[in-house]
Amino acid sequence: MQQLMEITRRGIFHHAKKLFLSEQAGRIQVQEFARKNAANALSLTNLVMGLSSILCTLNGQHLYACWFLCFGFLLDLADGAVARQLNACSALGAKLDDFADFTTFGIATSLLLQAHSVLSSIFIICYVMAVFIRLCFFSSGIPFVYRGLPCPYASAILSSTFVLTGGNCLFLYIAAMVMILFMTDQGNYPHDKILETQLWKKMVYIGGLLMLFCCPLQLTCIYYLIWCFSYTLFPTALWNCEY
């Protein structure tokens, strides 16, 4: 009888140990999956922001559309930093990021230009093609250096201009033309690494995040214009990743 009880206890102990190891292995697999896909989740969220902006624009809710574009701008700055910090960079992640960027900063942003005529429709197509060309063909060959203004900055400038001018077509088309020129001029722009370098850059990012959720949209857009124009006009002097 005692021998039978001893065998039973050993069996229960062995089963419990096996179950514990199995649960531990499961947790490790979940943690590894989360590590590898954290940046991809941010890119997918950026894509959702772009699609939400498109739907808002089609329904005439332009301020909400601009809010989603600004949030997409912040997400795009974060996903690369998260991927590098977690050592989770991958070809799939790069493709997903480009697709999200094209949707949010190309198609969704261009719809703010409001196609009221054939000429405006052609101009919208030109803006989308400028973003497409910038994403596909403008590679500097230099680590952490872009060729042409990154389209998220162009999108933030255009959406902020829309909010501050009340959607004035003249100002919007001037801003869009300037952004097209900057995106296609093949000038070098440093990878700002805003979440990976100096404290002041991180504070700029945190300030943009807090303002987006806590301040009036007009005030937030002034902040984003100053931020994005400083990068556009003084990329090396202010935003070089080495400083």
Side-chain angles (χ1 to χ4, degrees):
M1 189 67 176
Q2 290 181 350
Q3 197 174 26
L4 180 60
M5 291 178 62
E6 181 66 22
I7 293 173
T8 303
R9 280 197 298 269
R10 288 181 180 178
I12 294 173
F13 175 77
H14 178 73
H15 179 73
K17 182 179 179 181
K18 186 176 180 180
L19 183 62
F20 174 76
L21 292 175
S22 177
E23 290 179 352
Q24 190 176 36
R27 284 195 297 270
I28 292 174
Q29 289 179 347
V30 170
Q31 291 172 356
E32 182 65 12
F33 179 83
R35 182 188 70 81
K36 289 183 177 180
N37 291 280
N40 292 343
L42 290 176
S43 295
L44 282 173
T45 306
N46 182 15
L47 175 61
V48 172
M49 293 301 103
L51 295 174
S52 300
S53 177
I54 291 172
L55 291 174
C56 287
T57 301
L58 294 177
N59 287 304
Q61 299 172 318
H62 296 100
L63 293 183
Y64 288 111
C66 292
W67 189 94
F68 283 122
L69 290 175
C70 290
F71 192 33
F73 169 71
L74 294 177
L75 290 170
D76 184 71
L77 293 179
D79 61 8
V82 170
R84 286 186 292 274
Q85 288 296 314
L86 297 178
N87 192 25
C89 298
S90 65
L92 174 62
K95 291 179 181 178
L96 182 60
D97 182 58
D98 283 344
F99 184 73
D101 285 354
F102 181 69
T103 302
T104 303
F105 309 123
I107 298 174
T109 302
S110 69
L111 291 180
L112 293 177
L113 298 174
Q114 306 172 58
H116 296 308
S117 64
V118 174
L119 287 178
S120 60
S121 299
I122 293 174
F123 190 77
I124 288 174
I125 293 174
C126 290
Y127 186 90
V128 174
M129 291 304 298
V131 173
F132 178 78
I133 291 170
R134 166 65 186 76
L135 289 171
C136 291
F137 303 111
F138 280 21
S139 175
S140 66
I142 306 172
F144 300 115
V145 173
Y146 301 122
R147 199 171 73 182
L149 178 68
C151 53
Y153 286 91
S155 172
I157 289 173
L158 198 58
S159 57
S160 297
T161 301
F162 186 100
V163 173
L164 294 175
T165 64
N168 185 285
C169 290
L170 177 60
F171 287 105
L172 279 175
Y173 279 86
I174 292 174
M177 178 60 71
V178 172
M179 291 302 100
I180 289 174
L181 293 175
F182 272 106
M183 285 191 289
T184 57
D185 72 350
Q186 303 187 37
N188 288 334
Y189 288 83
H191 191 308
D192 50 32
K193 287 183 144 185
I194 193 166
L195 292 175
E196 302 169 79
T197 50
Q198 298 95 326
L199 178 62
W200 73 267
K201 292 182 181 179
K202 297 176 183 177
M203 295 305 296
V204 168
Y205 182 92
I206 294 172
L209 185 63
L210 291 176
M211 292 195 72
L212 191 63
F213 286 96
C214 303
C215 296
L217 187 57
Q218 288 79 3
L219 183 61
T220 301
C221 287
I222 293 174
Y223 183 91
Y224 277 66
L225 275 182
I226 296 172
W227 176 2
C228 294
F229 269 126
S230 71
Y231 177 84
T232 303
L233 300 177
F234 310 104
T236 303
L238 289 176
W239 294 97
N240 194 314
C241 61
E242 296 178 359
Y243 301 143

